[in-house]
Amino acid sequence: MNTKHIQYVLALAQTSSFSQAAEQLGISQPALSKQIQHIENELGVKLFDRERSPLALTPAGDYFVRSARELVYKEEQMRKALEGFQSGENGRLVIGITPFRSLYLMPELVKKIRAQYPGVQVSLQEVPASQLRKEAAEGRYDLAIVNLPVDTSLLDTVALEPDTLVLAVHNKMADGLPSNGEEMFPTIDFKDAKHLPFIVLGQGQEMRQVFDGLCAATDVYPTIAAEVNGVTSAWAMARAGVGAALLPLQFVRESYFDDELSLYIIKSNLYSRQPVIATRKGQVLTPYAELVIKLLTEKK
């Protein structure tokens, strides 16, 4: 069995489909099926349960895949360690990040990376936070930016500036709320805004969980004007006067500040979020990954 055989098994385990895996690998479906049978015969165990739909791993297959991913990860780390002996001027930097955080953090950061390492290709993997934690622990990124909590038995972390959550309210809807006055971001009790309609993110998203927790803690039964998929859409709805939206201050301050919106900090430190740079324990950091950490921690 060789590295190519391992790739065959991993591709099939990922897709649960001979046709999709064969297309991904660039070989024919019969050839892939023959190779998998050869591997199973060599190992003396069945790796896949072909009676199930979609195709599923057997217990032996599950163990094989977990072990194979670990081997692939270690091979990748060895390659990166050897690259460290070179100048670091060429390479690929993979960053895991949520879409909204990418929007305000990455443009200037990537510009600075490219200025110092013009030969480096930056790949931003913009995925939900739950997926980021899982894939960072699997070593799929050079680094990921994700909110705590994370599994610190698998990940090393470097703290960044905590997110401060603000309530964004269109000025025409802000009657009865404190005026900005000399204070750019007045502090209010969440109950002060209970009469407002709200823009919320979809169920299961971190910002929705924070919003629901805030309502429960303050006995607020909100009127939901709209449910959206992303922070940018929530900001746009608030700017249009559809309702108030809970947003990270850093997001608004860096890229989306608007004179038509008033921003209010909620009276509670329970509703700030702590983002961290997460890397898998034992992971070899490239010079450009180290530059990212340096640039991000300087903003703290």
Short mmCIF file of all heavy atoms in Angstrom, two decimals, residues 218-272:
data_model
loop_
_atom_site.label_atom_id
_atom_site.label_comp_id
_atom_site.label_asym_id
_atom_site.label_seq_id
_atom_site.Cartn_x
_atom_site.Cartn_y
_atom_site.Cartn_z
N THR A 218 -32.50 38.87 30.02
CA THR A 218 -33.12 40.16 30.35
C THR A 218 -34.65 40.11 30.25
O THR A 218 -35.30 41.15 30.34
CB THR A 218 -32.58 41.26 29.41
OG1 THR A 218 -32.76 40.86 28.05
CG2 THR A 218 -31.10 41.50 29.68
N ASP A 219 -35.22 38.90 30.05
CA ASP A 219 -36.67 38.74 29.94
C ASP A 219 -37.27 39.61 28.84
O ASP A 219 -38.34 40.21 29.00
CB ASP A 219 -37.36 39.06 31.28
CG ASP A 219 -37.02 38.03 32.34
OD1 ASP A 219 -36.91 36.84 32.01
OD2 ASP A 219 -36.84 38.42 33.51
N VAL A 220 -36.58 39.67 27.71
CA VAL A 220 -37.08 40.40 26.55
C VAL A 220 -37.66 39.40 25.56
O VAL A 220 -37.02 38.39 25.23
CB VAL A 220 -35.95 41.22 25.88
CG1 VAL A 220 -36.40 41.77 24.54
CG2 VAL A 220 -35.51 42.36 26.80
N TYR A 221 -38.88 39.65 25.12
CA TYR A 221 -39.53 38.81 24.11
C TYR A 221 -39.54 39.59 22.81
O TYR A 221 -40.43 40.42 22.57
CB TYR A 221 -40.93 38.45 24.58
CG TYR A 221 -40.93 37.67 25.87
CD1 TYR A 221 -41.01 38.32 27.10
CD2 TYR A 221 -40.80 36.28 25.86
CE1 TYR A 221 -40.97 37.62 28.30
CE2 TYR A 221 -40.78 35.55 27.05
CZ TYR A 221 -40.85 36.23 28.26
OH TYR A 221 -40.81 35.52 29.43
N PRO A 222 -38.54 39.37 21.95
CA PRO A 222 -38.32 40.28 20.82
C PRO A 222 -39.32 40.10 19.68
O PRO A 222 -39.84 39.01 19.45
CB PRO A 222 -36.91 39.88 20.36
CG PRO A 222 -36.81 38.42 20.69
CD PRO A 222 -37.58 38.26 21.99
N THR A 223 -39.54 41.18 18.96
CA THR A 223 -40.25 41.13 17.69
C THR A 223 -39.20 40.96 16.59
O THR A 223 -38.33 41.81 16.44
CB THR A 223 -41.03 42.43 17.44
OG1 THR A 223 -42.01 42.59 18.47
CG2 THR A 223 -41.72 42.40 16.08
N ILE A 224 -39.25 39.84 15.89
CA ILE A 224 -38.27 39.56 14.83
C ILE A 224 -38.80 40.11 13.51
O ILE A 224 -39.79 39.62 12.98
CB ILE A 224 -37.97 38.05 14.71
CG1 ILE A 224 -37.55 37.48 16.07
CG2 ILE A 224 -36.91 37.79 13.64
CD1 ILE A 224 -36.31 38.09 16.65
N ALA A 225 -38.12 41.12 12.98
CA ALA A 225 -38.53 41.71 11.70
C ALA A 225 -38.00 40.90 10.53
O ALA A 225 -38.68 40.77 9.51
CB ALA A 225 -38.03 43.15 11.60
N ALA A 226 -36.81 40.36 10.68
CA ALA A 226 -36.21 39.59 9.59
C ALA A 226 -35.12 38.68 10.14
O ALA A 226 -34.45 39.02 11.12
CB ALA A 226 -35.63 40.51 8.51
N GLU A 227 -34.97 37.53 9.50
CA GLU A 227 -33.89 36.59 9.83
C GLU A 227 -33.01 36.48 8.60
O GLU A 227 -33.51 36.23 7.50
CB GLU A 227 -34.47 35.22 10.21
CG GLU A 227 -33.42 34.21 10.64
CD GLU A 227 -34.05 32.88 11.05
OE1 GLU A 227 -34.41 32.74 12.24
OE2 GLU A 227 -34.20 32.01 10.17
N VAL A 228 -31.69 36.67 8.78
CA VAL A 228 -30.76 36.69 7.65
C VAL A 228 -29.63 35.70 7.90
O VAL A 228 -29.48 35.17 9.01
CB VAL A 228 -30.19 38.11 7.42
CG1 VAL A 228 -31.30 39.09 7.06
CG2 VAL A 228 -29.44 38.58 8.67
N ASN A 229 -28.84 35.47 6.87
CA ASN A 229 -27.77 34.48 6.97
C ASN A 229 -26.43 35.03 7.43
O ASN A 229 -25.59 34.28 7.90
CB ASN A 229 -27.56 33.78 5.61
CG ASN A 229 -28.67 32.80 5.30
OD1 ASN A 229 -29.23 32.19 6.20
ND2 ASN A 229 -28.99 32.65 4.03
N GLY A 230 -26.21 36.34 7.25
CA GLY A 230 -24.89 36.88 7.55
C GLY A 230 -24.94 38.22 8.24
O GLY A 230 -25.94 38.95 8.20
N VAL A 231 -23.81 38.57 8.87
CA VAL A 231 -23.70 39.83 9.60
C VAL A 231 -23.82 41.01 8.64
O VAL A 231 -24.43 42.04 8.97
CB VAL A 231 -22.36 39.88 10.36
CG1 VAL A 231 -22.11 41.26 10.93
CG2 VAL A 231 -22.35 38.84 11.48
N THR A 232 -23.27 40.87 7.44
CA THR A 232 -23.36 41.97 6.48
C THR A 232 -24.81 42.26 6.10
O THR A 232 -25.22 43.42 5.99
CB THR A 232 -22.56 41.64 5.21
OG1 THR A 232 -21.25 41.22 5.58
CG2 THR A 232 -22.46 42.84 4.30
N SER A 233 -25.60 41.21 5.93
CA SER A 233 -27.03 41.40 5.61
C SER A 233 -27.75 42.05 6.79
O SER A 233 -28.63 42.90 6.60
CB SER A 233 -27.68 40.06 5.27
OG SER A 233 -27.11 39.50 4.11
N ALA A 234 -27.40 41.65 8.01
CA ALA A 234 -28.02 42.25 9.20
C ALA A 234 -27.70 43.74 9.26
O ALA A 234 -28.58 44.57 9.56
CB ALA A 234 -27.54 41.55 10.46
N TRP A 235 -26.44 44.09 8.97
CA TRP A 235 -26.05 45.51 8.95
C TRP A 235 -26.86 46.27 7.89
O TRP A 235 -27.36 47.36 8.15
CB TRP A 235 -24.55 45.62 8.65
CG TRP A 235 -24.12 47.02 8.35
CD1 TRP A 235 -23.76 47.99 9.23
CD2 TRP A 235 -24.03 47.62 7.04
NE1 TRP A 235 -23.45 49.15 8.58
CE2 TRP A 235 -23.60 48.95 7.23
CE3 TRP A 235 -24.26 47.16 5.75
CZ2 TRP A 235 -23.41 49.82 6.17
CZ3 TRP A 235 -24.06 48.03 4.68
CH2 TRP A 235 -23.64 49.35 4.90
N ALA A 236 -27.01 45.70 6.69
CA ALA A 236 -27.73 46.36 5.62
C ALA A 236 -29.20 46.58 5.99
O ALA A 236 -29.79 47.64 5.68
CB ALA A 236 -27.62 45.55 4.32
N MET A 237 -29.79 45.59 6.65
CA MET A 237 -31.19 45.72 7.08
C MET A 237 -31.32 46.82 8.13
O MET A 237 -32.28 47.62 8.11
CB MET A 237 -31.68 44.39 7.65
CG MET A 237 -31.86 43.30 6.62
SD MET A 237 -33.39 43.53 5.69
CE MET A 237 -33.41 42.02 4.73
N ALA A 238 -30.38 46.88 9.07
CA ALA A 238 -30.42 47.92 10.09
C ALA A 238 -30.25 49.29 9.45
O ALA A 238 -30.94 50.26 9.80
CB ALA A 238 -29.32 47.67 11.13
N ARG A 239 -29.36 49.38 8.48
CA ARG A 239 -29.11 50.65 7.79
C ARG A 239 -30.35 51.11 7.02
O ARG A 239 -30.60 52.31 6.86
CB ARG A 239 -27.92 50.50 6.85
CG ARG A 239 -27.50 51.78 6.15
CD ARG A 239 -26.25 51.55 5.33
NE ARG A 239 -25.84 52.76 4.65
CZ ARG A 239 -26.28 53.14 3.46
NH1 ARG A 239 -27.17 52.39 2.82
NH2 ARG A 239 -25.86 54.26 2.91
N ALA A 240 -31.14 50.14 6.55
CA ALA A 240 -32.36 50.48 5.81
C ALA A 240 -33.52 50.81 6.75
O ALA A 240 -34.60 51.19 6.29
CB ALA A 240 -32.76 49.33 4.90
N GLY A 241 -33.31 50.65 8.07
CA GLY A 241 -34.36 50.96 9.03
C GLY A 241 -35.38 49.86 9.23
O GLY A 241 -36.47 50.09 9.75
N VAL A 242 -35.01 48.63 8.85
CA VAL A 242 -35.94 47.50 9.05
C VAL A 242 -36.04 47.12 10.51
O VAL A 242 -37.11 46.75 11.02
CB VAL A 242 -35.49 46.28 8.20
CG1 VAL A 242 -36.38 45.07 8.47
CG2 VAL A 242 -35.49 46.63 6.72
N GLY A 243 -34.93 47.20 11.21
CA GLY A 243 -34.91 46.85 12.62
C GLY A 243 -33.53 47.03 13.19
O GLY A 243 -32.58 47.41 12.49
N ALA A 244 -33.40 46.76 14.49
CA ALA A 244 -32.11 46.86 15.16
C ALA A 244 -31.37 45.54 15.02
O ALA A 244 -31.97 44.47 14.96
CB ALA A 244 -32.31 47.20 16.64
N ALA A 245 -30.04 45.61 14.96
CA ALA A 245 -29.23 44.40 14.78
C ALA A 245 -28.08 44.39 15.77
O ALA A 245 -27.44 45.42 16.00
CB ALA A 245 -28.70 44.31 13.36
N LEU A 246 -27.81 43.23 16.34
CA LEU A 246 -26.66 43.04 17.22
C LEU A 246 -25.47 42.72 16.33
O LEU A 246 -25.48 41.74 15.58
CB LEU A 246 -26.94 41.90 18.19
CG LEU A 246 -26.05 41.78 19.43
CD1 LEU A 246 -26.22 43.01 20.32
CD2 LEU A 246 -26.37 40.51 20.20
N LEU A 247 -24.41 43.55 16.40
CA LEU A 247 -23.26 43.41 15.52
C LEU A 247 -21.96 43.56 16.30
O LEU A 247 -21.91 44.25 17.32
CB LEU A 247 -23.29 44.49 14.42
CG LEU A 247 -24.50 44.54 13.50
CD1 LEU A 247 -24.43 45.79 12.62
CD2 LEU A 247 -24.58 43.29 12.65
N PRO A 248 -20.89 42.94 15.84
CA PRO A 248 -19.58 43.19 16.46
C PRO A 248 -19.11 44.61 16.14
O PRO A 248 -19.14 45.03 14.98
CB PRO A 248 -18.66 42.15 15.80
CG PRO A 248 -19.57 41.14 15.18
CD PRO A 248 -20.81 41.89 14.80
N LEU A 249 -18.70 45.34 17.17
CA LEU A 249 -18.25 46.72 16.97
C LEU A 249 -17.08 46.78 15.99
O LEU A 249 -17.00 47.69 15.16
CB LEU A 249 -17.85 47.33 18.31
CG LEU A 249 -17.23 48.73 18.26
CD1 LEU A 249 -18.19 49.73 17.62
CD2 LEU A 249 -16.84 49.19 19.65
N GLN A 250 -16.16 45.79 16.08
CA GLN A 250 -14.99 45.81 15.20
C GLN A 250 -15.41 45.76 13.73
O GLN A 250 -14.82 46.42 12.88
CB GLN A 250 -14.07 44.63 15.52
CG GLN A 250 -13.26 44.81 16.79
CD GLN A 250 -14.04 44.46 18.05
OE1 GLN A 250 -15.26 44.27 18.01
NE2 GLN A 250 -13.35 44.37 19.18
N PHE A 251 -16.44 45.00 13.44
CA PHE A 251 -16.95 44.88 12.07
C PHE A 251 -17.47 46.23 11.58
O PHE A 251 -17.13 46.68 10.48
CB PHE A 251 -18.06 43.83 12.04
CG PHE A 251 -18.90 43.82 10.80
CD1 PHE A 251 -18.46 43.18 9.65
CD2 PHE A 251 -20.14 44.44 10.77
CE1 PHE A 251 -19.23 43.17 8.50
CE2 PHE A 251 -20.92 44.43 9.63
CZ PHE A 251 -20.46 43.79 8.49
N VAL A 252 -18.26 46.90 12.40
CA VAL A 252 -18.85 48.18 12.01
C VAL A 252 -17.78 49.26 11.95
O VAL A 252 -17.69 50.04 11.00
CB VAL A 252 -19.96 48.60 12.99
CG1 VAL A 252 -20.62 49.90 12.54
CG2 VAL A 252 -21.01 47.50 13.11
N ARG A 253 -16.92 49.27 12.95
CA ARG A 253 -15.91 50.32 13.07
C ARG A 253 -14.90 50.26 11.92
O ARG A 253 -14.50 51.29 11.37
CB ARG A 253 -15.19 50.17 14.40
CG ARG A 253 -14.18 51.28 14.71
CD ARG A 253 -13.50 50.99 16.03
NE ARG A 253 -12.75 49.73 15.98
CZ ARG A 253 -12.39 49.06 17.06
NH1 ARG A 253 -12.74 49.48 18.26
NH2 ARG A 253 -11.70 47.94 16.94
N GLU A 254 -14.49 49.05 11.55
CA GLU A 254 -13.43 48.92 10.55
C GLU A 254 -13.93 49.20 9.14
O GLU A 254 -13.21 49.77 8.33
CB GLU A 254 -12.84 47.49 10.61
CG GLU A 254 -12.13 47.14 11.91
CD GLU A 254 -10.80 47.84 12.06
OE1 GLU A 254 -10.27 48.31 11.03
OE2 GLU A 254 -10.30 47.93 13.18
N SER A 255 -15.14 48.74 8.81
CA SER A 255 -15.55 48.79 7.40
C SER A 255 -16.94 49.36 7.15
O SER A 255 -17.23 49.76 6.02
CB SER A 255 -15.50 47.37 6.80
OG SER A 255 -14.23 46.80 6.98
N TYR A 256 -17.80 49.37 8.15
CA TYR A 256 -19.21 49.63 7.87
C TYR A 256 -19.80 50.72 8.77
O TYR A 256 -20.99 50.72 9.02
CB TYR A 256 -20.01 48.33 8.03
CG TYR A 256 -19.79 47.40 6.86
CD1 TYR A 256 -18.73 46.50 6.87
CD2 TYR A 256 -20.60 47.45 5.74
CE1 TYR A 256 -18.52 45.66 5.79
CE2 TYR A 256 -20.39 46.62 4.66
CZ TYR A 256 -19.34 45.72 4.69
OH TYR A 256 -19.12 44.91 3.62
N PHE A 257 -18.97 51.64 9.22
CA PHE A 257 -19.52 52.74 10.02
C PHE A 257 -20.39 53.61 9.12
O PHE A 257 -20.04 53.89 7.98
CB PHE A 257 -18.41 53.57 10.65
CG PHE A 257 -18.91 54.56 11.65
CD1 PHE A 257 -19.20 54.16 12.94
CD2 PHE A 257 -19.14 55.87 11.30
CE1 PHE A 257 -19.70 55.06 13.87
CE2 PHE A 257 -19.64 56.78 12.22
CZ PHE A 257 -19.92 56.37 13.51
N ASP A 258 -21.53 54.03 9.65
CA ASP A 258 -22.48 54.79 8.84
C ASP A 258 -23.18 55.81 9.75
O ASP A 258 -23.68 55.45 10.82
CB ASP A 258 -23.52 53.84 8.23
CG ASP A 258 -24.33 54.52 7.13
OD1 ASP A 258 -25.03 55.50 7.45
OD2 ASP A 258 -24.27 54.07 5.99
N ASP A 259 -23.21 57.06 9.31
CA ASP A 259 -23.80 58.13 10.12
C ASP A 259 -25.30 57.94 10.33
O ASP A 259 -25.89 58.56 11.22
CB ASP A 259 -23.54 59.49 9.48
CG ASP A 259 -22.08 59.91 9.60
OD1 ASP A 259 -21.40 59.38 10.50
OD2 ASP A 259 -21.63 60.73 8.78
N GLU A 260 -25.94 57.09 9.51
CA GLU A 260 -27.37 56.88 9.67
C GLU A 260 -27.69 55.90 10.80
O GLU A 260 -28.85 55.74 11.17
CB GLU A 260 -27.97 56.35 8.36
CG GLU A 260 -27.92 57.37 7.23
CD GLU A 260 -28.64 56.88 5.98
OE1 GLU A 260 -29.39 55.88 6.09
OE2 GLU A 260 -28.45 57.49 4.92
N LEU A 261 -26.67 55.26 11.34
CA LEU A 261 -26.86 54.30 12.42
C LEU A 261 -26.30 54.83 13.73
O LEU A 261 -25.23 55.45 13.76
CB LEU A 261 -26.16 52.97 12.09
CG LEU A 261 -26.74 52.12 10.96
CD1 LEU A 261 -25.84 50.93 10.69
CD2 LEU A 261 -28.14 51.65 11.31
N SER A 262 -27.02 54.58 14.81
CA SER A 262 -26.50 54.82 16.15
C SER A 262 -26.10 53.47 16.73
O SER A 262 -26.80 52.47 16.55
CB SER A 262 -27.56 55.47 17.04
OG SER A 262 -27.90 56.75 16.56
N LEU A 263 -24.97 53.46 17.41
CA LEU A 263 -24.45 52.21 17.97
C LEU A 263 -24.46 52.30 19.49
O LEU A 263 -24.01 53.29 20.08
CB LEU A 263 -23.02 51.97 17.47
CG LEU A 263 -22.82 51.93 15.96
CD1 LEU A 263 -21.35 51.72 15.62
CD2 LEU A 263 -23.67 50.82 15.33
N TYR A 264 -24.97 51.23 20.13
CA TYR A 264 -25.10 51.20 21.58
C TYR A 264 -24.41 49.96 22.13
O TYR A 264 -24.68 48.84 21.67
CB TYR A 264 -26.57 51.19 21.99
CG TYR A 264 -27.34 52.38 21.47
CD1 TYR A 264 -28.01 52.32 20.25
CD2 TYR A 264 -27.39 53.57 22.20
CE1 TYR A 264 -28.71 53.41 19.77
CE2 TYR A 264 -28.09 54.66 21.72
CZ TYR A 264 -28.75 54.58 20.51
OH TYR A 264 -29.45 55.67 20.02
N ILE A 265 -23.55 50.17 23.11
CA ILE A 265 -22.91 49.04 23.79
C ILE A 265 -23.87 48.52 24.85
O ILE A 265 -24.44 49.29 25.63
CB ILE A 265 -21.57 49.46 24.42
CG1 ILE A 265 -20.58 49.84 23.30
CG2 ILE A 265 -21.00 48.33 25.27
CD1 ILE A 265 -19.25 50.37 23.81
N ILE A 266 -24.06 47.19 24.87
CA ILE A 266 -24.99 46.58 25.82
C ILE A 266 -24.32 46.49 27.19
O ILE A 266 -23.15 46.13 27.31
CB ILE A 266 -25.39 45.17 25.35
CG1 ILE A 266 -25.94 45.22 23.93
CG2 ILE A 266 -26.40 44.56 26.31
CD1 ILE A 266 -27.18 46.05 23.77
N LYS A 267 -25.08 46.80 28.25
CA LYS A 267 -24.55 46.78 29.62
C LYS A 267 -24.33 45.36 30.10
O LYS A 267 -25.16 44.81 30.81
CB LYS A 267 -25.53 47.46 30.58
CG LYS A 267 -25.51 48.96 30.55
CD LYS A 267 -26.49 49.49 31.60
CE LYS A 267 -26.56 51.01 31.55
NZ LYS A 267 -27.58 51.52 32.49
N SER A 268 -23.26 44.76 29.70
CA SER A 268 -22.88 43.45 30.25
C SER A 268 -21.63 42.98 29.55
O SER A 268 -21.55 43.00 28.34
CB SER A 268 -23.98 42.42 30.06
OG SER A 268 -23.54 41.17 30.55
N ASN A 269 -20.65 42.55 30.33
CA ASN A 269 -19.45 42.00 29.72
C ASN A 269 -19.65 40.53 29.39
O ASN A 269 -18.74 39.86 28.92
CB ASN A 269 -18.23 42.19 30.62
CG ASN A 269 -18.41 41.52 31.98
OD1 ASN A 269 -19.39 40.81 32.20
ND2 ASN A 269 -17.47 41.74 32.87
N LEU A 270 -20.86 40.00 29.66
CA LEU A 270 -21.14 38.60 29.34
C LEU A 270 -21.28 38.39 27.85
O LEU A 270 -21.22 37.26 27.38
CB LEU A 270 -22.43 38.15 30.04
CG LEU A 270 -22.43 38.15 31.56
CD1 LEU A 270 -23.81 37.77 32.07
CD2 LEU A 270 -21.39 37.20 32.10
N TYR A 271 -21.49 39.47 27.11
CA TYR A 271 -21.83 39.33 25.71
C TYR A 271 -20.72 39.84 24.77
O TYR A 271 -20.98 40.19 23.66
CB TYR A 271 -23.17 40.01 25.43
CG TYR A 271 -24.22 39.46 26.34
CD1 TYR A 271 -24.69 40.19 27.41
CD2 TYR A 271 -24.68 38.16 26.18
CE1 TYR A 271 -25.63 39.66 28.28
CE2 TYR A 271 -25.61 37.62 27.05
CZ TYR A 271 -26.09 38.38 28.09
OH TYR A 271 -27.00 37.84 28.97
N SER A 272 -19.50 39.87 25.31
CA SER A 272 -18.37 40.07 24.42
C SER A 272 -17.85 38.69 24.03
O SER A 272 -18.09 37.71 24.73
CB SER A 272 -17.26 40.88 25.11
OG SER A 272 -16.75 40.17 26.21
#
